[in-house]
Amino acid sequence: MESTRRTVGELVRERWGDHRPGLWFEGGVVSHHQVAAGAAARAALLAETLPSGAEPHVGVLLDNTPEYPLWLGAAALAGAAVAGINPTRRGPELARDILHTECRVLVTERTHLPLLDGLELPGVRVLVTDTAAYADLLKTYEGARPDAGGAGPDSRFLLLFTSGSTGAPKAAICTQGRIAAAGHSLVGHFGVRADDTHYICMPMFHGNAVIADWAPALAAGAGIALRRRFSASGFLPDVRACGATYFTYVGRAVQYLLATPARPDDRDNPLRLGFGTEAGAVDAAAFEKRFGARLVEGYGSSEGGAAVQRVPGTPAGAIGRAAPSDDLAVIDPETRRECPPAVFAGDGRLLNGADAIGELVNRGTSLFEGYWRNPEAEEARRRGASPRPGEGGAGEEGGAGTGKGWYWTGDLFYRDAEGFLYFAGRSDDRLRVDSENLAAAMIENILARYEDAAAVAVYAVPDPVAGDQVMATLALKEGTRFAPSPFARFLLVQPDLGTKMAPRFLRIVERMPVTATNKIHRVALRREGFRCADPVWWRPPGEPSYRRLTAADTDELVARYRAHGREELLTR
């Protein structure tokens, strides 16, 4: 298919001379041509700013302002790659992200400059977009045309940070060809038209916004509308103002939208479709009923290793079936054998979660393009496979030890008897909180600084609606007692504790449970969750401090899980 070998740069250049409205932001609108011209000017600036011999990488530490898509376009034209820098990261961890991806240019704005205070960023030139100096600098490059910069389909285009069990976030490589192909695929799948407008309210340092929202708009010649940061109260006014027909979401955002006060005219909006993950069948149905727009759940790893497509007949709660190019299976990581099909009760509850839930694995050819400067993480993704029942032993073609291993997603799924796949969460050391992928090891390192802590374990417990919540177990030093106020104050002063990392639940134990090999027994901790014999403290949503979790609190929480069809996940 021709579109699979196209580049993002070609798609940007095709908008040159297109004077239709192309980008809406905070009441203003510019044409597709103006967007292409702005990208060309920034591409010329980047070409002259990057030191000779440096990797063509530019870090972008911005909210969803017009500068973000302009720099995406600039990178595509210049044959460079954008590393989206997450503004919820702090201190040395933020510096590590910038330096690890070898960004010699960092584009940011004044609101994020305090994040850079005190950071050692040798050799990094910082461009601050909302300043007179930046505006004057760009004038030098006005009139540049979006000419080819030698980039091809295999040129690096994105370095998307994704957390995992190795601790520090990994930068997944995405080429121009893969992003262009993804955009064209979604255009065909959803019937995106040139007169559509894609509303981008999810942060653009995530693959969700760039791959599933910006890329199909670019491929179809559709317009985009930006929201600096997601706002539940501002969502519908924005949609109406720009005529948005399509948007992407994560489950938490849908929950926030449904929590806004209902109005009689909620369905009076141009939205046709929302595409995202982890909304859940209950909330998806409620959203469509209230706002008149269908939510389509999808799954695709930022690394490109596996994809699940929704097809006609997909049951409520399921994501869909494997994409035609993938050979997906739900695998028990211990035995490396396929898990049995899910068994459901009459009301749809999963009855055999302990057996049916496993890690989603692509046993075929994946689009995974590797991680930047991280061969160990690449090997973990592609680790050796075991043969399927009835096939040869380990060491044969495609078997363990061959180096041609399957692609392990790190995500938990279960599959029904008809082959439909259901998302069940993240594997042991991964958490997904409010659409943010977090690594437990990083949070543990921070909590271990607490002066009364003798041992710390961090793990995911499912959120009642979507994704995960952070739970921690603390074994205290002898002679100490847990006090919630000092602990909360401790969290506030940790410079590298991201905004999603603070534990929702805190279990206090005299001694940390361990396995026979003296490792922390995370499986037991996770399965017990907050329903355990030890005292548990928690910080309910919107409350500033921790308090004891009572039996009434637990009953109310479990009722919420049951209402959203997620009670079975509490014992995974």
Side-chain angles (χ1 to χ4, degrees):
M1 180 175 169
E2 182 183 356
S3 64
T4 63
R5 302 309 300 162
R6 303 204 66 194
T7 68
V8 177
E10 289 172 341
L11 300 179
V12 173
R13 288 194 295 272
E14 287 176 1
R15 303 278 68 81
W16 185 265
D18 183 347
H19 295 284
R20 295 176 302 120
L23 190 157
W24 286 260
F25 179 70
E26 295 183 349
V29 59
V30 296
S31 70
H32 287 289
H33 175 79
Q34 289 172 298
V35 172
R42 287 157 180 79
L45 167 61
L46 181 61
E48 293 196 11
T49 303
L50 281 172
S52 176
E55 292 291 348
H57 297 172
V58 54
V60 177
L61 176 61
L62 295 170
D63 290 336
N64 287 3
T65 69
E67 288 288 339
Y68 214 121
L70 288 172
W71 276 99
L72 287 173
L77 294 171
V82 166
I85 306 301
N86 185 342
T88 69
R89 301 271 283 168
R90 295 292 185 269
E93 299 298 338
L94 179 64
R96 178 263 172 199
D97 292 350
I98 298 166
L99 297 176
H100 170 70
T101 46
E102 302 180 48
C103 295
R104 301 296 294 274
V105 175
L106 177 67
V107 180
T108 189
E109 54 190 316
R110 284 181 292 182
T111 189
H112 291 318
L113 284 177
L115 298 177
L116 305 178
D117 287 347
L119 299 189
E120 295 291 332
L121 299 173
V124 178
R125 180 176 180 181
V126 178
L127 301 177
V128 186
T129 60
D130 49 349
T131 62
Y134 178 78
D136 290 342
L137 184 62
L138 276 179
K139 288 179 182 177
T140 308
Y141 302 96
E142 287 181 357
R145 294 182 65 86
D147 297 324
D154 296 326
S155 298
R156 286 190 303 275
F157 176 58
L158 296 176
L159 297 172
L160 286 176
F161 281 108
T162 174
S163 298
S165 58
T166 53
K170 305 177 291 293
I173 297 170
C174 303
T175 60
Q176 290 213 28
R178 178 153 77 86
I179 300 305
H184 278 287
S185 176
L186 289 171
V187 167
H189 193 65
F190 292 130
V192 180
R193 305 183 302 262
D195 59 353
D196 279 323
T197 299
H198 286 207
Y199 180 53
I200 304 177
C201 55
M202 296 292 100
M204 293 193 75
F205 59 81
H206 271 178
N208 174 296
V210 175
I211 300 175
D213 212 342
W214 177 78
L218 184 66
I224 63 171
L226 300 177
R227 176 79 189 195
R228 178 179 287 274
R229 296 179 185 176
F230 173 77
S231 166
S233 62
F235 179 85
L236 216 50
D238 281 354
V239 164
R240 289 169 174 152
C242 66
T245 52
Y246 172 102
F247 74 106
T248 57
Y249 64 84
V250 294
R252 180 64 64 196
V254 172
Q255 185 183 12
Y256 288 151
L257 290 170
L258 292 173
T260 60
R263 296 175 56 91
D265 63 348
D266 280 342
R267 293 176 66 91
D268 182 15
N269 67 77
L271 280 177
R272 184 174 74 250
L273 180 72
F275 177 54
T277 61
E278 302 177 18
V282 173
D283 283 351
F287 187 93
E288 183 170 7
K289 181 179 180 180
R290 177 172 167 184
F291 298 106
R294 183 168 60 103
L295 298 186
V296 177
E297 289 281 296
Y299 172 84
S301 61
S302 298
E303 295 90 336
V308 179
Q309 294 183 348
R310 191 170 187 88
V311 297
T314 298
I319 302 297
R321 284 197 170 108
S325 59
D326 292 341
D327 176 16
L328 301 188
V330 178
I331 301 293
D332 183 329
E334 300 286 334
T335 65
R336 300 202 174 185
R337 301 289 180 180
E338 281 197 60
C339 296
V343 177
F344 299 100
D347 59 2
R349 288 182 298 112
L350 178 63
L351 296 178
N352 64 334
D355 296 322
I357 295 175
E359 187 169 348
L360 188 69
V361 176
N362 187 353
R363 302 179 298 194
T365 301
S366 79
L367 297 177
F368 178 47
E369 296 170 313
Y371 294 115
W372 180 253
R373 305 283 196 227
N374 201 332
E376 295 83 5
E378 288 187 23
E379 178 61 27
R381 278 279 181 241
R382 293 171 167 144
R383 61 189 185 268
S386 279
R388 301 179 216 175
E391 297 180 351
E396 295 186 6
E397 183 74 13
T402 67
K404 299 179 181 179
W406 301 336
Y407 176 86
W408 294 72
T409 67
D411 294 325
L412 302 175
F413 274 77
Y414 51 97
R415 185 197 295 264
D416 67 19
E418 302 300 320
F420 289 101
L421 291 159
Y422 299 71
F423 181 75
R426 307 288 157 178
S427 56
D428 290 2
D429 197 36
R430 289 164 60 96
L431 305 87
R432 186 171 176 85
V433 180
D434 290 353
S435 82
E436 289 285 337
N437 285 329
L438 307 175
M442 295 177 61
I443 305 175
E444 287 177 355
N445 291 337
I446 297 170
L447 298 187
R449 303 169 192 159
Y450 185 55
E451 61 180 5
D452 290 340
V456 180
V458 171
Y459 43 96
V461 293
D463 182 88
V465 177
D468 301 318
Q469 290 293 343
V470 178
M471 184 164 182
T473 291
L474 287 183
L476 300 178
K477 294 177 180 177
E478 188 173 351
T480 62
R481 298 181 62 184
F482 179 73
S485 295
F487 182 77
R489 289 196 295 270
F490 158 80
L491 294 178
L492 286 175
V493 298
Q494 302 311 304
D496 50 352
L497 187 74
T499 57
K500 312 295 185 183
M501 293 181 175
R504 173 63 54 84
F505 300 97
L506 196 64
R507 177 177 178 175
I508 306 299
V509 298
E510 292 184 3
R511 183 175 300 171
M512 190 70 70
V514 296
T515 65
T517 56
N518 261 348
K519 295 181 179 179
I520 293 176
H521 203 330
R522 299 178 188 278
V523 173
L525 290 172
R526 189 174 62 251
R527 285 179 176 169
E528 291 180 350
F530 52 79
R531 298 185 295 182
C532 58
D534 296 309
V536 173
W537 296 77
W538 77 311
R539 184 157 58 181
E543 294 192 16
S545 59
Y546 288 87
R547 60 178 173 84
R548 279 291 294 270
L549 182 73
T550 66
D553 292 330
T554 301
D555 290 344
E556 183 177 344
L557 277 169
V558 172
R560 289 196 67 206
Y561 284 95
R562 186 178 301 120
H564 289 277
R566 292 172 64 84
E567 184 180 6
E568 175 68 17
L569 301 183
L570 290 172
T571 57
R572 70 174 189 222

